[in-house]
Amino acid sequence: MRKLEQTEQNLLRINDIILEVKRQISSIERQARKAERYKVDFDRLKDIELKLSFSEYKDLKTAEMTQAVESNDSKTREGELEVEITGIISTISGYRSSLDEVNRKMF
């Protein structure tokens, strides 16, 4: 009888252990599914961030090229204006010389 009772108690303990192991397995399976979803989401996020970074890089390169063209255009225009200013200064100097000459003749 004692052996039978011990066997029953052993069976009860084994059933308790089996139930606990099943709960742990369920918990581990849920954690594994969460980890897999995290990995998929992380990879997707990494891909999106990479595409966004590349797009921003292209935009910056385009802006850089536009700035370079505008800078060259500004330098060209500056050179043209300097030539024009030099011409105007020369013309004004000529007028002043003419005016000085007229003033000397008058007085």
Side-chain angles (χ1 to χ4, degrees):
M1 282 298 253
R2 270 192 208 170
K3 281 188 177 185
L4 192 55
E5 284 177 16
Q6 285 179 348
T7 303
E8 276 184 27
Q9 286 186 2
N10 285 341
L11 285 174
L12 286 175
R13 276 191 231 128
I14 289 173
N15 280 335
D16 287 343
I17 291 171
I18 289 172
L19 287 175
E20 181 60 31
V21 168
K22 283 182 180 180
R23 275 188 288 225
Q24 289 176 358
I25 288 173
S26 295
S27 175
I28 290 170
E29 285 174 340
R30 280 193 306 276
Q31 290 175 4
R33 285 191 298 272
K34 284 182 183 179
E36 186 60 35
R37 283 193 308 267
Y38 172 82
K39 184 183 179 308
V40 168
D41 290 344
F42 181 79
D43 288 344
R44 191 174 1 176
L45 177 63
K46 192 166 71 172
D47 185 51
I48 289 169
E49 286 178 340
L50 183 64
K51 288 177 182 176
L52 176 63
S53 294
F54 182 71
S55 176
E56 289 173 347
Y57 172 77
K58 286 189 337 187
D59 291 346
L60 287 172
K61 279 305 223 183
T62 300
E64 178 186 31
M65 290 171 59
T66 301
Q67 285 293 86
V69 168
E70 289 176 359
S71 176
N72 285 338
D73 290 347
S74 293
K75 287 178 183 176
T76 301
R77 181 68 180 137
E78 180 183 9
E80 292 169 352
L81 290 174
E82 285 178 1
V83 168
E84 189 175 333
I85 288 171
T86 302
I88 291 171
I89 289 172
S90 178
T91 302
I92 290 172
S93 292
Y95 289 148
R96 280 193 179 143
S97 295
S98 297
L99 183 61
D100 288 344
E101 201 173 304
V102 167
N103 281 334
R104 268 188 282 132
K105 286 181 183 178
M106 286 177 58
F107 297 112

